[in-house]
């Protein structure tokens, strides 16, 4: 997924988020799943060379096994999906976009 505009976190690094929503969530509820109007995925990018040259430090980390990031020492934020700097593009696609694409191919609306 191409990120929306990255949210700059001072000089520490960036975090990109992409809102994922689908009309197919109503179908998901009808099939016994949980309906959600909007899902949020976050992909943490590594610091650029220019960030490092400016003295930036990584202070955003993914909590292992949880869809959560920690900013600094104690500010935790929970999302539907969190991908760290090591996540491959196919992992991001499979984790949050593949189901949307499959639902679109079945005729449901999705954004």
């Amino acid at each position: 997924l191409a990120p929306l505009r990255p949210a700059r976190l001072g000089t520490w690094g960036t975090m990109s988020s992409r809102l994922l929503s689908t009309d197919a969530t109503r179908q998901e509820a009808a099939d016994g799943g949980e309906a959600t109007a909007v899902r949020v995925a976050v992909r943490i990018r590594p610091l650029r060379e220019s960030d490092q040259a400016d003295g930036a430090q990584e202070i955003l980390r993914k909590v292992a096994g949880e869809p959560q990031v920690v900013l600094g020492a104690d500010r935790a934020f929970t999302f539907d999906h969190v991908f760290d700097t090591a996540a491959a593009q196919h992992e991001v696609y499979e984790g949050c976009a593949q189901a949307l694409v499959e639902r679109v191919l079945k005729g449901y609306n999705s954004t």
Side-chain angles (χ1 to χ4, degrees), residues 13-60:
T14 65
M15 171 175 64
S16 301
S17 65
R18 174 102 172 153
L19 296 179
L20 305 173
S21 66
T22 177
D23 289 342
T25 54
R26 287 190 280 279
Q27 180 64 36
E28 203 174 283
D31 293 339
E34 183 179 318
T36 306
V38 175
R39 295 181 184 172
V40 179
V42 175
R43 185 176 195 179
I44 303 167
R45 72 160 175 84
L47 293 174
R48 297 180 187 143
E49 287 181 26
S50 61
D51 295 332
Q52 294 173 351
D54 291 339
Q57 298 176 4
E58 290 187 15
I59 63 163
L60 184 67

Side-chain angles (χ1 to χ4, degrees), residues 78-93:
T78 302
F79 300 93
D80 295 296
H81 303 278
V82 175
F83 301 94
D84 64 10
T85 58
Q89 189 68 17
H90 72 88
E91 292 176 85
V92 176
Y93 173 77

